[in-house]
Structures are given as C-alpha cells and as structure tokens.
Amino acid sequence: MNELQKEDIQRRVARCMPWILLFEFFYTFNDNVFNLITPNLSEQFGVTPSTISLIVTFSKLFFGIASIVYTALSDIISIRKVMLLTSVAFPVATLLGVFSQDSFTLLVVSRILFAVTIAAPVALQIIIAIKYFDKLTAAKYLGYNTAIYQLASAAGHLFGGYIAEYLSWNLVFLIPVLTIFGLPVLFKNLPKEVTLKGSFDAVGMILMTAISTFLITYLTFKMQYPLLLIGAVVCAALFVWHTFKSKNPFLKPELFRTRGITRSLIVGVLFYATQIGFYFVFPFIVNKTYHMSTSTIGAFYTITNIAAFIIGMFTGRIIKKIGYRNIALLGGTFIFAGLGMIAFFVGFSVVFSFVGMGLFNIGYVLFFSGYLANFTQLLPTHQHGAGIGVEKLVVTIAASLGGAFVAMLYGQPFMMTKIVDFSANTQTALFSNVSLVLMILIGLATWLFVSVFGKSFNRQEEFGQREPGTSAQGQV
C-alpha cells in the first residue's frame, strides 16, 4: 500500500470516528440513566433493590462478553462486516426497550440486547484507532473516548432524571435510534479488509457466560438458591478442562504465566467491582436518606461528572509531573477518601454525600489512566492484544459481580448495625457499612497494586517506548 492509499484510508476512517464515538456516548448515557433511576424502577415493578440490580449487572455482563467476542472476531472477520451488522441490529434492539415499560422481564432482556449490539462499535473503536492511525492520532481518539464518557455520564445524570420524572424512562431507549443516520457514512468509508483464516472458541465463550450468569444471579438473590452456585462450579470445572484441551481457547493460559498479570487483574477486578457497586447503591443513599427527587439527584451527579471531566482533561499533564504509577495511587487515594466521606458522614448533610461522590469520580479518572498504562507494561509486545482483551473481559465480569455483591448486602440484618456511622439517623447504618466494605476492598486493591508495580514502573514518558519484543515483567 502506497502513502496516497494510506492517507485516503485514514481520511475515510476519520469520517467514521464521530459516528463510532456516538455509540460510546449513548452506551454511557443509557447506563447512567438506569443507574440513577433504579429506586424508581424498584417501586414501579414492585421488586426488591437486589432484584432490580439485574438491569445493571446483566447489562454489564453481556456487554463484557460481547466486547471480547467482537475483539476476537476482528482477527478472523472483517471489522467492517462486524461494525455494519451490529450497527444495523442496534436500532432494532434499542427500540424493543421502548415497549418494556410494563414488563420487568422485557426490560432486562432489552438492556441485554442493547448491550450486546452496542458492544461492537464501543469495543472496536480502540482497535480501529490503533490499526489505521499513527500513535499520536490514535491517542487523540482515545482521549476523545474518555471525554465522551464523562460528558455522556453528565448528560445521563442531568437529562435522565428529568426524563424519568417528567416524561417516561422508556423514552431513554428511543434516543439512540439516531445512530441509524450514521450507517451510510460507515458503509461508504469503512475499509474492506482481507480476512485471515482462524477459529473462535464458542464453547469457551458459552461456558464463561454461564459461569458469570450463575454467580451474578446467585448473589443477586442473596444466596438463597444453592443450585445456582453448583451450576457455576460445574461450568467453571468444564471451562478449565476445555481451556487446557482447546488449541485456541477463549482465555489463553500462557498469558497468566506472565509475572504480575494475575495480581494486576485482581487489582482491576476490585476497583471495577467497587465502582459499579457504589454506583448502584448511591441513588438509594440520597433517595432514602435525604428524599431527593430523581431530577435533583441527576443535577448533583452532573456536577461531579463535570468535575471529573475537567480533571480528566489534565491527566496527561499530571502524568508528566508524577508518572503513571503515582497517578494511579493518587486516584486510589481519592476513591478511598470519597468512600470514607460517605461511610462516616452519610447521616449528616447531603453535601458530604455529593462531595464523596465527586472525590470518587475524580479518583477513577486518575486511577484508570495510570492502571491501564502500567498493566500494558507487564505484557510482552506480542501479547498486547490478548492481554488487553482479557483485562476487558475479566474486569467487566467483575463489575457485574460488584453490583450483585452490593445488592446482596442491601437490607441484610447484619448490615444494620452502626459501626462508623455516628449520626442520629437510624436509617443510614446500611449505607455507611456498604461504603466501609468498599473502602476495605479499595485498600486491599491498592496494596496489591503497590506489590505488583514498583517504583520502576513510574514512567513519565510514553510507556510504549521500550525496545520492541521486551516486557517490563523483570522489573517487579
């Protein structure tokens, strides 16, 4: 391919990127709206908070599974074909959600289909940026991705509250249909690729989905159905057996033999699980404790998202000053402080709760900008793609389990005893204790992070500048 052809392809792909980023916006927007209105849905459908959490956890689970499937398929099927197929299916899937107002089951199914179809453009945008652009341009688009995430979160919290309170929450499914207008642009400009021969481990994918679904459902229904746990254990045993027998397994065992990878993934698991668990319980905190309307909660949420967005715009400068490792530790400190604000002061002024949420959001922007860079340093060059795919799968499943874990704790008698809640409010011990549990998880995760990533990982330059074919594993 000559330079003119390469430049032409880059121009055409650049025309597609705004539409692809729009999928990221609608995915995050939809997710944040449903995180916000879970108390309303719990009352509308007459189900417990733990049951209503299935809307969040199943969506996260199937999004994670679908993301790794699409990423793996992109090696053996044209990205163009995968993108066009899912982009056509997505408006149909999201329209189904418009009719789910009177059926909790249909709502859960709609959220799953929404997640499965939108996962392709959201997951593949990273591969497209890296494949067709130089490092600087690719980094620019990844930066746009982060900005879109924060703006969509702010929009979801601000407008979602008003939609739910003054219109109807099912209309949230109608807005993403706008993506259909981008189909002609994608069809005309996405490059036609020559595909390579390969295979995909469908059995491994099905078993991984079954394990996660059994575990999430078991936790969501407060461990009342041991058959679900038995099902998860049986599927896990089959998955391990199949992984070592398969020539091209869903999860590659050799990746986990790289020093530090397993502990690093556990760090990601704990941070992601804490994030989704806290996002699930926070609307209940402000709704049950301070009796705030959904639109008011959304407005306050928006302020914390904008604060995180502003900090996120300066992460590059912060990294240049303190390094990738230290920015991750700084983020962990903010998260710990935000949870502490809730644990100790939830029964007092609502200001403490939203300051805590603000610190929490800022902490995650800082933490993940450093964590992913450090995780990549652990990987040999030839395993970057597989490693990032595994990280995405593992932490997304963990996020689903985090929501289910907090839902399991919600309302348990042993969570009603005041430990660090010194307020006179008799209703806040549950929320204080949930935040305390999450603080412990973050403390453990930070300790593991430090044990894996020593000071030698605190690069302030571009982390990809080491010699090709080498890894940083020897620095641990």
Side-chain angles (χ1 to χ4, degrees):
M1 182 187 300
N2 59 43
E3 285 300 315
L4 286 176
Q5 290 174 319
K6 187 175 180 181
E7 289 177 7
D8 179 60
I9 289 174
Q10 288 179 344
R11 280 196 297 269
R12 289 193 284 116
V13 174
R15 296 187 192 115
C16 299
M17 292 306 286
W19 288 102
I20 296 173
L21 287 169
L22 191 63
F23 284 98
E24 171 72 31
F25 180 90
F26 284 128
Y27 171 69
T28 306
F29 178 84
N30 188 280
D31 231 26
N32 280 280
V33 169
F34 279 97
N35 280 332
L36 178 67
I37 66 173
T38 44
N40 306 58
L41 296 176
S42 180
E43 292 179 9
Q44 177 180 332
F45 290 110
V47 297
T48 63
S50 60
T51 302
I52 208 70
S53 72
L54 292 174
I55 296 170
V56 177
T57 54
F58 273 5
S59 172
K60 285 288 182 185
L61 166 65
F62 283 90
F63 176 83
I65 296 291
S67 295
I68 190 65
V69 168
Y70 294 135
T71 304
L73 286 176
S74 68
D75 289 331
I76 57 176
I77 299 176
S78 165
I79 290 178
R80 172 189 170 86
K81 290 181 181 179
V82 176
M83 284 286 295
L84 290 177
L85 177 62
T86 52
S87 296
V88 169
F90 174 67
V92 178
T94 192
L95 274 175
L96 181 65
V98 177
F99 305 100
S100 63
Q101 191 174 12
D102 299 317
S103 171
F104 176 67
T105 302
L106 183 57
L107 175 57
V108 173
V109 172
S110 299
R111 285 276 290 156
I112 290 172
L113 292 176
F114 180 95
V116 167
T117 50
I118 204 172
V122 173
L124 293 176
Q125 62 180 293
I126 299 173
I127 294 177
I128 291 171
I130 293 172
K131 182 172 184 176
Y132 292 108
F133 299 105
D134 58 78
K135 287 184 179 180
L136 184 60
T137 307
K140 180 183 72 174
Y141 281 114
L142 295 180
Y144 290 162
N145 179 277
T146 304
I148 288 290
Y149 175 86
Q150 290 298 330
L151 289 175
S153 297
H157 289 140
L158 180 62
F159 297 111
Y162 285 100
I163 290 171
E165 192 163 333
Y166 298 109
L167 297 171
S168 179
W169 58 262
N170 62 317
L171 295 179
V172 173
F173 283 107
L174 188 61
I175 303 172
V177 176
L178 291 172
T179 56
I180 199 169
F181 293 108
L183 277 175
V185 178
L186 298 179
F187 182 82
K188 182 179 179 181
N189 293 291
L190 281 176
K192 296 179 180 180
E193 304 161 311
V194 177
T195 56
L196 301 174
K197 291 183 178 181
S199 60
F200 177 73
D201 183 16
V203 174
M205 182 270 291
I206 292 170
L207 287 171
M208 176 61 74
T209 305
I211 294 166
S212 306
T213 305
F214 280 133
L215 275 178
I216 288 170
T217 311
Y218 176 69
L219 291 174
T220 299
F221 291 104
K222 302 184 186 298
M223 300 184 290
Q224 294 179 2
Y225 305 103
L227 280 177
L228 293 171
L229 180 60
I230 294 171
V233 171
V234 171
C235 288
L238 290 173
F239 180 80
V240 171
W241 177 82
H242 173 77
T243 296
F244 285 100
K245 290 289 184 181
S246 176
K247 292 181 179 179
N248 184 33
F250 192 63
L251 290 183
K252 310 236 176 346
E254 61 269 19
L255 180 66
F256 295 91
R257 289 194 282 269
T258 303
R259 188 178 178 187
I261 287 293
T262 301
R263 282 180 293 161
S264 180
L265 286 173
I266 292 173
V267 170
V269 163
L270 292 174
F271 269 95
Y272 272 100
T274 299
Q275 183 185 39
I276 300 305
F278 185 65
Y279 283 169
F280 167 72
V281 78
F282 189 79
F284 289 97
I285 292 175
V286 289
N287 181 272
K288 302 295 183 183
T289 305
Y290 307 105
H291 308 291
M292 296 177 69
S293 68
T294 306
S295 57
T296 305
I297 295 171
F300 276 104
Y301 254 132
T302 303
I303 295 172
T304 68
N305 287 131
I306 291 174
F309 168 73
I310 293 171
I311 296 297
M313 295 296 289
F314 292 96
T315 53
R317 295 184 184 181
I318 298 172
I319 288 170
K320 287 182 180 179
K321 291 288 185 182
I322 66 175
Y324 289 102
R325 175 180 181 269
N326 286 349
I327 196 175
L329 291 175
L330 180 63
T333 302
F334 269 84
I335 295 167
F336 192 84
L339 290 169
M341 189 76 73
I342 305 292
F344 285 90
F345 301 110
V346 66
F348 297 95
S349 170
V350 69
V351 173
F352 290 113
S353 293
F354 279 103
V355 169
M357 171 55 85
L359 292 172
F360 189 87
N361 280 342
I362 290 170
Y364 269 93
V365 170
L366 297 173
F367 174 78
F368 284 113
S369 63
Y371 168 73
L372 291 175
N374 280 300
F375 176 76
T376 306
Q377 289 186 62
L378 291 173
L379 299 168
T381 304
H382 68 281
Q383 288 188 327
H384 275 184
I388 292 170
V390 168
E391 190 272 344
K392 192 173 186 64
L393 172 67
V394 170
V395 298
T396 305
I397 292 173
S400 303
L401 290 173
F405 174 67
V406 170
M408 179 193 71
L409 295 178
Y410 196 98
Q412 295 282 10
F414 60 82
M415 295 295 290
M416 305 301 181
T417 303
K418 285 181 177 285
I419 300 175
V420 295
D421 176 14
F422 302 108
S423 71
N425 193 323
T426 58
Q427 306 298 317
T428 53
L430 168 66
F431 304 127
S432 172
N433 291 336
V434 168
S435 300
L436 183 61
V437 170
L438 297 179
M439 285 177 70
I440 294 170
L441 294 181
I442 290 297
L444 174 61
T446 303
W447 173 77
L448 280 173
F449 180 86
V450 172
S451 75
V452 175
F453 301 104
K455 292 182 180 180
S456 59
F457 279 85
N458 197 42
R459 295 170 179 263
Q460 292 165 279
E461 76 279 9
E462 184 185 347
F463 64 87
Q465 290 178 349
R466 64 175 180 265
E467 289 300 315
T470 63
S471 82
Q473 58 181 300
Q475 300 171 6
V476 179

